[in-house]
Protein backbone atom coordinates (compact mmCIF):
# COMPACT_ATOMS: atom_id res chain seq x y z
CA UNK A 1 0.00 0.00 0.00
CA UNK A 2 1.18 3.58 -0.69
CA UNK A 3 0.85 6.40 1.85
CA UNK A 4 -2.45 6.90 3.60
CA UNK A 5 -5.29 8.54 1.70
CA UNK A 6 -6.96 11.38 3.58
CA UNK A 7 -10.42 10.47 4.80
CA UNK A 8 -12.58 13.38 3.67
CA UNK A 9 -16.28 13.66 4.49
CA UNK A 10 -18.97 15.00 2.12
CA UNK A 11 -18.48 18.52 3.51
CA UNK A 12 -14.74 18.56 2.81
CA UNK A 13 -13.56 17.98 6.39
CA UNK A 14 -10.57 15.66 6.79
CA UNK A 15 -10.78 13.11 9.61
CA UNK A 16 -7.72 13.29 11.89
CA UNK A 17 -8.97 12.39 15.33
CA UNK A 18 -10.36 9.09 16.65
CA UNK A 19 -12.13 8.91 20.02
CA UNK A 20 -12.16 5.39 21.40
CA UNK A 21 -14.52 4.48 24.21
CA UNK A 22 -13.12 1.47 26.03
CA UNK A 23 -15.98 0.92 28.46
CA UNK A 24 -19.50 2.21 29.09
CA UNK A 25 -19.11 1.59 32.84
CA UNK A 26 -18.22 4.20 35.41
CA UNK A 27 -17.36 4.53 39.09
CA UNK A 28 -19.21 7.90 39.26
CA UNK A 29 -22.80 8.80 38.49
CA UNK A 30 -22.61 12.45 37.41
CA UNK A 31 -26.15 13.77 37.39
CA UNK A 32 -25.68 15.50 34.01
CA UNK A 33 -24.46 12.23 32.45
CA UNK A 34 -26.21 9.17 33.87
CA UNK A 35 -28.83 8.06 36.42
CA UNK A 36 -27.97 6.60 39.82
CA UNK A 37 -29.11 3.16 38.73
CA UNK A 38 -30.78 1.49 35.82
CA UNK A 39 -28.33 2.11 32.99
CA UNK A 40 -27.88 -1.20 31.20
CA UNK A 41 -24.15 -2.04 30.87
CA UNK A 42 -22.91 -3.71 27.71
CA UNK A 43 -22.44 -7.47 28.04
CA UNK A 44 -18.73 -8.07 28.53
CA UNK A 45 -18.46 -10.26 25.44
CA UNK A 46 -19.70 -7.37 23.29
CA UNK A 47 -16.90 -5.07 24.42
CA UNK A 48 -13.91 -5.01 22.08
CA UNK A 49 -10.68 -6.49 23.38
CA UNK A 50 -7.59 -4.28 23.52
CA UNK A 51 -6.27 -6.16 20.48
CA UNK A 52 -9.44 -5.37 18.54
CA UNK A 53 -9.38 -1.71 19.59
CA UNK A 54 -5.73 -1.39 18.62
CA UNK A 55 -6.42 -2.99 15.25
CA UNK A 56 -9.07 -0.40 14.38
CA UNK A 57 -6.75 2.36 15.63
CA UNK A 58 -3.89 1.06 13.44
CA UNK A 59 -6.14 0.90 10.39
CA UNK A 60 -7.30 4.49 10.93
CA UNK A 61 -3.68 5.67 11.22
CA UNK A 62 -2.09 3.61 8.45
CA UNK A 63 -4.89 3.82 5.87
CA UNK A 64 -6.20 7.30 6.57
CA UNK A 65 -3.50 9.31 8.34
CA UNK A 66 -5.48 9.76 11.55
CA UNK A 67 -2.88 11.27 13.90
CA UNK A 68 -4.72 11.79 17.19
CA UNK A 69 -6.40 9.22 19.42
CA UNK A 70 -8.24 9.92 22.66
CA UNK A 71 -9.19 7.11 25.04
CA UNK A 72 -12.45 7.74 26.84
CA UNK A 73 -15.62 6.09 28.12
CA UNK A 74 -17.60 5.73 30.48
CA UNK A 75 -14.65 5.88 32.80
CA UNK A 76 -11.63 4.40 31.01
CA UNK A 77 -9.63 3.83 34.19
CA UNK A 78 -12.16 1.29 35.49
CA UNK A 79 -11.11 -1.11 32.77
CA UNK A 80 -8.42 -3.53 33.90
CA UNK A 81 -4.84 -3.14 32.68
CA UNK A 82 -5.34 0.23 30.97
CA UNK A 83 -1.56 0.80 30.75
CA UNK A 84 -1.39 -2.24 28.48
CA UNK A 85 -3.73 -0.57 25.96
CA UNK A 86 -1.81 2.69 26.29
CA UNK A 87 1.40 0.86 25.44
CA UNK A 88 -0.24 -0.72 22.39
CA UNK A 89 -1.60 2.60 21.10
CA UNK A 90 1.39 4.78 21.93
CA UNK A 91 3.51 2.55 19.71
CA UNK A 92 1.47 3.42 16.60
CA UNK A 93 3.40 5.71 14.25
CA UNK A 94 1.84 8.04 11.66
CA UNK A 95 3.16 6.91 8.24
CA UNK A 96 5.99 8.99 6.74
CA UNK A 97 3.95 9.55 3.58
CA UNK A 98 0.99 11.04 5.47
CA UNK A 99 0.00 14.69 4.98
CA UNK A 100 -0.20 15.00 8.79
CA UNK A 101 2.28 17.26 10.60
CA UNK A 102 3.01 14.18 12.73
CA UNK A 103 4.15 12.09 9.71
CA UNK A 104 6.85 9.69 10.87
CA UNK A 105 6.09 10.36 14.54
CA UNK A 106 4.00 8.54 17.16
CA UNK A 107 0.32 9.45 17.25
CA UNK A 108 -0.86 12.12 19.66
CA UNK A 109 -2.39 9.96 22.41
CA UNK A 110 -4.68 11.41 25.09
CA UNK A 111 -7.03 10.22 27.84
CA UNK A 112 -10.19 11.70 29.35
CA UNK A 113 -10.87 10.59 32.92
CA UNK A 114 -12.72 11.59 36.06
CA UNK A 115 -9.34 11.44 37.78
CA UNK A 116 -10.39 9.40 40.81
CA UNK A 117 -7.81 6.66 40.29
CA UNK A 118 -4.97 8.77 38.92
CA UNK A 119 -3.32 8.99 42.32
CA UNK A 120 -2.32 5.37 41.73
CA UNK A 121 -2.31 5.14 37.95
CA UNK A 122 -0.76 8.37 36.67
CA UNK A 123 2.93 7.35 36.72
CA UNK A 124 2.18 4.00 35.08
CA UNK A 125 0.12 5.63 32.32
CA UNK A 126 2.86 8.17 31.66
CA UNK A 127 5.48 5.42 31.52
CA UNK A 128 3.28 3.52 29.05
CA UNK A 129 3.49 6.46 26.64
CA UNK A 130 0.37 8.51 27.37
CA UNK A 131 1.12 12.15 26.58
CA UNK A 132 -1.94 14.21 27.41
CA UNK A 133 -4.69 13.94 29.96
CA UNK A 134 -8.02 15.69 30.55
CA UNK A 135 -9.52 15.39 34.01
CA UNK A 136 -13.12 16.31 34.78
CA UNK A 137 -13.71 18.61 37.74
CA UNK A 138 -17.03 20.43 37.99
CA UNK A 139 -16.86 21.79 41.53
CA UNK A 140 -14.40 22.44 44.35
CA UNK A 141 -16.99 22.00 47.07
CA UNK A 142 -17.09 18.60 48.74
CA UNK A 143 -20.84 18.49 49.37
CA UNK A 144 -21.66 19.75 45.89
CA UNK A 145 -19.24 17.21 44.42
CA UNK A 146 -21.09 14.48 46.30
CA UNK A 147 -24.41 15.68 44.94
CA UNK A 148 -23.13 16.09 41.37
CA UNK A 149 -21.24 12.80 41.09
CA UNK A 150 -23.16 10.84 43.74
CA UNK A 151 -19.75 9.96 45.21
CA UNK A 152 -17.87 11.55 48.11
CA UNK A 153 -14.57 11.51 46.26
CA UNK A 154 -13.50 15.09 45.64
CA UNK A 155 -10.30 14.45 47.61
CA UNK A 156 -9.37 11.55 45.31
CA UNK A 157 -9.89 13.66 42.18
CA UNK A 158 -7.80 16.51 43.62
CA UNK A 159 -5.05 13.99 44.47
CA UNK A 160 -5.40 12.62 40.93
CA UNK A 161 -4.88 16.07 39.42
CA UNK A 162 -1.73 16.58 41.48
CA UNK A 163 -0.49 13.11 40.53
CA UNK A 164 -1.06 13.83 36.83
CA UNK A 165 0.86 17.11 37.05
CA UNK A 166 3.67 15.40 38.96
CA UNK A 167 3.81 12.56 36.40
CA UNK A 168 4.63 15.12 33.72
CA UNK A 169 1.65 14.93 31.38
CA UNK A 170 1.83 17.80 28.94
CA UNK A 171 -0.64 19.22 29.01
CA UNK A 172 -2.99 18.38 31.88
CA UNK A 173 -6.37 20.02 31.24
CA UNK A 174 -9.42 20.21 33.46
CA UNK A 175 -12.93 19.80 32.00
CA UNK A 176 -15.86 21.44 33.78
CA UNK A 177 -19.46 21.05 32.62
CA UNK A 178 -21.40 24.11 33.75
CA UNK A 179 -25.10 23.97 34.60
CA UNK A 180 -27.23 26.91 35.64
CA UNK A 181 -28.24 26.75 39.28
CA UNK A 182 -25.90 23.82 39.91
CA UNK A 183 -22.30 25.06 39.65
CA UNK A 184 -22.40 28.26 37.57
CA UNK A 185 -21.45 30.25 40.69
CA UNK A 186 -18.08 28.43 40.66
CA UNK A 187 -16.86 29.42 37.21
CA UNK A 188 -14.38 31.98 38.56
CA UNK A 189 -13.23 29.70 41.40
CA UNK A 190 -12.58 26.84 38.98
CA UNK A 191 -10.72 29.17 36.61
CA UNK A 192 -8.58 30.37 39.54
CA UNK A 193 -7.92 26.78 40.62
CA UNK A 194 -6.55 26.11 37.11
CA UNK A 195 -4.39 29.24 37.22
CA UNK A 196 -2.95 28.22 40.59
CA UNK A 197 -2.15 24.72 39.36
CA UNK A 198 -0.75 25.99 36.05
CA UNK A 199 -3.26 23.98 33.97
CA UNK A 200 -5.93 25.06 31.49
CA UNK A 201 -9.56 24.74 32.54
CA UNK A 202 -12.00 24.09 29.71
CA UNK A 203 -15.59 24.87 30.50
CA UNK A 204 -18.13 22.79 28.57
CA UNK A 205 -21.70 23.73 27.72
CA UNK A 206 -24.06 21.00 28.90
CA UNK A 207 -25.30 18.92 25.94
CA UNK A 208 -28.52 16.91 25.55
CA UNK A 209 -26.69 13.59 25.86
CA UNK A 210 -27.55 12.59 29.41
CA UNK A 211 -29.01 9.11 29.71
CA UNK A 212 -31.99 10.19 31.77
CA UNK A 213 -33.12 12.93 29.37
CA UNK A 214 -33.16 15.70 31.97
CA UNK A 215 -31.35 18.22 29.75
CA UNK A 216 -33.11 21.48 29.21
CA UNK A 217 -31.84 24.49 27.29
CA UNK A 218 -32.39 26.89 30.18
CA UNK A 219 -29.75 25.08 32.24
CA UNK A 220 -27.06 25.61 29.59
CA UNK A 221 -24.63 28.33 30.64
CA UNK A 222 -23.35 29.87 27.43
CA UNK A 223 -19.79 30.54 26.42
CA UNK A 224 -20.51 34.29 26.51
CA UNK A 225 -21.72 34.09 30.09
CA UNK A 226 -18.73 31.99 31.19
CA UNK A 227 -16.18 34.28 29.55
CA UNK A 228 -17.87 37.45 30.92
CA UNK A 229 -17.83 36.05 34.45
CA UNK A 230 -14.10 35.32 34.30
CA UNK A 231 -13.20 38.48 32.37
CA UNK A 232 -14.88 40.64 35.04
CA UNK A 233 -12.36 39.39 37.60
CA UNK A 234 -9.36 38.36 35.52
CA UNK A 235 -9.29 40.24 32.19
CA UNK A 236 -8.99 38.01 29.14
CA UNK A 237 -7.94 38.29 25.51
CA UNK A 238 -9.14 35.76 22.94
CA UNK A 239 -6.50 33.64 21.23
CA UNK A 240 -6.59 32.98 17.46
CA UNK A 241 -9.21 30.61 16.00
CA UNK A 242 -9.33 27.07 17.25
CA UNK A 243 -9.08 25.12 13.95
CA UNK A 244 -10.42 21.63 14.51
CA UNK A 245 -10.04 21.80 18.31
CA UNK A 246 -13.41 22.11 20.04
CA UNK A 247 -12.37 24.75 22.57
CA UNK A 248 -12.18 28.50 21.98
CA UNK A 249 -9.32 29.82 24.09
CA UNK A 250 -8.44 32.99 25.94
CA UNK A 251 -5.29 34.12 27.70
CA UNK A 252 -5.26 35.99 30.97
CA UNK A 253 -3.90 39.49 30.41
CA UNK A 254 -1.73 39.19 33.52
CA UNK A 255 0.13 36.37 31.76
CA UNK A 256 -0.96 33.67 34.21
CA UNK A 257 -2.28 31.03 31.85
CA UNK A 258 -5.13 30.32 29.48
CA UNK A 259 -8.73 29.17 29.71
CA UNK A 260 -10.97 27.45 27.17
CA UNK A 261 -14.68 27.09 26.54
CA UNK A 262 -16.31 24.36 24.45
CA UNK A 263 -19.50 25.99 23.16
CA UNK A 264 -21.10 22.81 21.83
CA UNK A 265 -24.60 24.22 22.13
CA UNK A 266 -24.47 27.98 21.54
CA UNK A 267 -21.66 28.06 18.93
CA UNK A 268 -21.27 24.56 17.52
CA UNK A 269 -17.90 23.84 15.97
CA UNK A 270 -19.23 21.21 13.55
CA UNK A 271 -17.87 23.11 10.52
CA UNK A 272 -14.30 22.27 11.56
CA UNK A 273 -14.96 18.84 13.07
CA UNK A 274 -12.23 16.29 12.33
CA UNK A 275 -13.46 13.58 14.71
CA UNK A 276 -14.86 10.08 14.44
CA UNK A 277 -15.71 7.70 17.26
CA UNK A 278 -15.55 4.03 18.13
CA UNK A 279 -17.86 2.81 20.89
CA UNK A 280 -16.78 0.18 23.41
CA UNK A 281 -18.84 -2.41 21.54
CA UNK A 282 -17.16 -1.67 18.24
CA UNK A 283 -19.69 0.62 16.58
CA UNK A 284 -18.16 3.36 14.42
CA UNK A 285 -19.85 6.79 14.61
CA UNK A 286 -19.15 9.98 12.71
CA UNK A 287 -20.67 12.32 15.33
CA UNK A 288 -21.65 12.29 19.02
CA UNK A 289 -25.15 13.06 17.79
CA UNK A 290 -25.18 10.60 14.86
CA UNK A 291 -28.20 8.37 14.67
CA UNK A 292 -26.40 5.74 12.56
CA UNK A 293 -23.64 3.36 13.66
CA UNK A 294 -21.43 1.10 11.56
CA UNK A 295 -20.73 -2.32 13.01
CA UNK A 296 -16.97 -2.88 12.97
CA UNK A 297 -17.20 -5.56 15.66
CA UNK A 298 -19.02 -7.89 13.28
CA UNK A 299 -16.26 -7.36 10.72
CA UNK A 300 -13.46 -7.75 13.27
CA UNK A 301 -14.93 -10.99 14.60
CA UNK A 302 -16.03 -12.26 11.21
CA UNK A 303 -12.52 -12.53 9.81
CA UNK A 304 -12.60 -9.37 7.66
CA UNK A 305 -9.23 -8.18 6.38
CA UNK A 306 -7.94 -4.63 7.00
CA UNK A 307 -9.13 -3.51 3.57
CA UNK A 308 -12.72 -4.49 4.32
CA UNK A 309 -12.63 -2.68 7.66
CA UNK A 310 -11.11 0.40 6.02
CA UNK A 311 -13.84 0.30 3.36
CA UNK A 312 -16.55 0.30 6.04
CA UNK A 313 -14.89 3.24 7.79
CA UNK A 314 -14.78 5.10 4.47
CA UNK A 315 -18.46 4.29 3.87
CA UNK A 316 -19.37 5.60 7.35
CA UNK A 317 -17.46 8.85 6.84
CA UNK A 318 -19.32 9.25 3.55
CA UNK A 319 -22.49 9.68 5.61
CA UNK A 320 -21.14 12.32 8.01
CA UNK A 321 -23.55 15.19 8.27
CA UNK A 322 -22.86 18.92 8.33
CA UNK A 323 -23.61 19.25 12.02
CA UNK A 324 -25.91 18.60 14.93
CA UNK A 325 -29.13 20.55 15.26
CA UNK A 326 -29.52 21.09 19.00
CA UNK A 327 -32.23 23.69 19.47
CA UNK A 328 -33.73 22.99 16.03
CA UNK A 329 -37.13 21.31 15.73
CA UNK A 330 -35.43 18.68 13.55
CA UNK A 331 -33.06 17.66 16.40
CA UNK A 332 -33.22 13.94 17.18
CA UNK A 333 -31.50 12.77 20.38
CA UNK A 334 -29.24 9.80 19.66
CA UNK A 335 -30.34 6.44 21.04
CA UNK A 336 -27.25 6.19 23.23
CA UNK A 337 -26.05 8.66 25.84
CA UNK A 338 -22.66 10.34 26.31
CA UNK A 339 -21.18 7.63 28.53
CA UNK A 340 -22.37 4.91 26.16
CA UNK A 341 -20.92 6.60 23.09
CA UNK A 342 -17.74 7.99 24.62
CA UNK A 343 -17.44 11.65 25.47
N1 LIG B 1 -15.56 9.52 32.64
C1 LIG B 1 -14.63 10.38 32.00
C2 LIG B 1 -14.80 11.82 32.47
O1 LIG B 1 -15.80 12.11 33.11
O2 LIG B 1 -13.92 12.62 32.17
C3 LIG B 1 -14.67 10.30 30.49
C4 LIG B 1 -16.02 10.19 29.85
S1 LIG B 1 -17.05 11.64 30.05
C5 LIG B 1 -18.49 11.14 29.18
C6 LIG B 1 -16.21 12.80 29.01
C7 LIG B 1 -16.53 14.25 29.26
O3 LIG B 1 -17.88 14.48 28.91
C8 LIG B 1 -16.39 14.68 30.71
O4 LIG B 1 -15.62 15.86 30.78
C9 LIG B 1 -17.80 14.95 31.15
O5 LIG B 1 -17.86 15.96 32.11
C10 LIG B 1 -18.45 15.35 29.86
N2 LIG B 1 -19.90 15.16 29.79
C11 LIG B 1 -20.63 14.11 30.22
N3 LIG B 1 -21.94 14.29 29.96
C12 LIG B 1 -22.04 15.50 29.33
C13 LIG B 1 -23.11 16.25 28.78
N4 LIG B 1 -24.35 15.81 28.82
N5 LIG B 1 -22.83 17.45 28.20
C14 LIG B 1 -21.55 17.91 28.14
N6 LIG B 1 -20.49 17.24 28.62
C15 LIG B 1 -20.73 16.06 29.22
FE1 LIG C 1 -18.82 8.81 34.62
FE2 LIG C 1 -17.58 10.66 33.18
FE3 LIG C 1 -20.26 10.30 32.96
FE4 LIG C 1 -19.27 11.34 35.20
S1 LIG C 1 -19.15 12.25 33.14
S2 LIG C 1 -20.79 9.69 35.08
S3 LIG C 1 -17.34 10.32 35.41
S4 LIG C 1 -18.69 8.89 32.38
Amino acid sequence: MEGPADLVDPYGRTVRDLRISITDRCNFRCTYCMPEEGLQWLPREDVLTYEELARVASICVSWFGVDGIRITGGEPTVRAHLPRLVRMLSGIVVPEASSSPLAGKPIDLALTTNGATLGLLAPELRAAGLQRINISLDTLDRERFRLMTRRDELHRVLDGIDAAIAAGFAPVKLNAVVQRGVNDDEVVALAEFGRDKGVEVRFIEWMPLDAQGSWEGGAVVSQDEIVSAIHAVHPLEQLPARGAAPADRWRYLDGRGTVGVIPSVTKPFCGDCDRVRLTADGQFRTCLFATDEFDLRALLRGGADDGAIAAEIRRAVGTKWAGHRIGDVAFVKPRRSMSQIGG
Side-chain angles (χ1 to χ4, degrees):
M1 196 180 68
E2 293 176 10
D6 280 349
L7 191 55
V8 182
D9 76 24
Y11 296 88
R13 298 164 296 191
T14 302
V15 173
R16 289 279 180 226
D17 189 50
L18 172 66
R19 308 268 160 133
I20 300 180
S21 171
I22 64 167
T23 180
D24 60 333
R25 294 171 195 239
C26 189
N27 45 355
F28 284 9
R29 294 287 182 279
C30 303
T31 48
Y32 56 75
C33 181
M34 59 168 84
E36 167 96 73
E37 286 186 50
L39 206 58
Q40 204 73 49
W41 306 126
L42 290 168
R44 284 189 195 275
E45 63 275 16
D46 285 0
V47 174
L48 295 192
T49 63
Y50 285 168
E51 283 70 22
E52 289 168 330
L53 291 169
R55 184 167 170 217
V56 175
S58 287
I59 292 171
C60 287
V61 175
S62 60
W63 284 70
F64 301 124
V66 163
D67 60 10
I69 294 184
R70 177 171 293 279
I71 303 169
T72 182
E75 174 49 42
T77 62
V78 302
R79 189 151 168 192
H81 312 299
L82 178 58
R84 186 167 82 84
L85 176 68
V86 168
R87 259 192 307 280
M88 291 163 82
L89 297 180
S90 64
I92 301 177
V93 172
V94 182
E96 286 282 359
S98 160
S99 62
S100 158
L102 291 182
K105 302 200 174 105
I107 55 160
D108 178 14
L109 185 63
L111 174 79
T112 303
T113 170
N114 64 28
T117 59
L118 284 182
L120 289 171
L121 261 184
E124 216 187 323
L125 291 173
R126 186 79 187 100
L130 186 68
Q131 295 156 18
R132 303 196 287 121
I133 203 157
N134 286 21
I135 304 171
S136 299
L137 178 70
D138 308 311
T139 176
L140 295 162
D141 179 86
R142 178 177 172 184
E143 178 57 12
R144 183 177 284 176
F145 187 95
R146 194 184 63 75
L147 290 171
M148 286 186 78
T149 63
R150 303 187 178 100
R151 299 289 184 270
D152 185 12
E153 299 200 355
L154 175 61
H155 59 292
R156 292 185 66 202
V157 175
L158 296 178
D159 286 351
I161 292 169
D162 288 339
I165 294 170
F169 289 106
V172 174
K173 291 184 184 167
L174 301 180
N175 288 352
V177 176
V178 189
Q179 289 171 286
R180 195 176 309 286
V182 177
N183 62 343
D184 52 337
D185 57 342
E186 274 191 88
V187 165
V188 173
L190 285 163
E192 288 174 344
F193 178 82
R195 276 157 62 85
D196 291 345
K197 294 277 176 197
V199 302
E200 182 171 298
V201 180
R202 295 158 13 126
F203 294 97
I204 304 175
E205 291 180 353
W206 188 31
M207 292 183 275
L209 280 173
D210 55 313
Q212 62 279 21
S214 60
W215 184 88
E216 41 112 6
V220 175
V221 181
S222 69
Q223 175 178 89
D224 291 348
E225 292 174 89
I226 292 167
V227 172
S228 304
I230 301 170
H231 181 72
V233 186
H234 302 290
L236 294 169
E237 174 184 69
Q238 186 156 13
L239 291 167
R242 60 192 168 202
D248 289 320
R249 298 173 68 229
W250 285 259
R251 72 175 195 91
Y252 292 102
L253 285 181
D254 65 7
R256 286 188 56 216
T258 55
V259 64
V261 183
I262 303 184
S264 330
V265 178
T266 64
K267 295 178 192 163
F269 34 88
C270 308
D272 294 315
C273 177
D274 67 349
R275 281 173 286 287
V276 290
R277 292 167 191 275
L278 182 67
T279 65
D281 57 345
Q283 307 302 303
F284 189 87
R285 300 174 64 94
T286 57
C287 175
L288 261 180
F289 294 92
T291 43
D292 288 331
E293 298 185 338
F294 294 77
D295 188 1
L296 299 191
R297 188 184 71 220
L299 292 173
L300 287 162
R301 295 186 180 173
D305 63 14
D306 287 1
I309 293 169
E312 187 65 357
I313 291 172
R314 200 180 289 111
R315 188 169 81 85
V317 169
T319 68
K320 182 155 170 155
W321 52 24
H324 71 66
R325 301 164 113 182
I326 300 172
D328 191 303
V329 281
F331 177 70
V332 181
K333 192 170 180 285
R335 189 175 53 80
R336 301 214 259 184
S337 64
M338 187 79 152
S339 64
Q340 294 166 321
I341 298 167

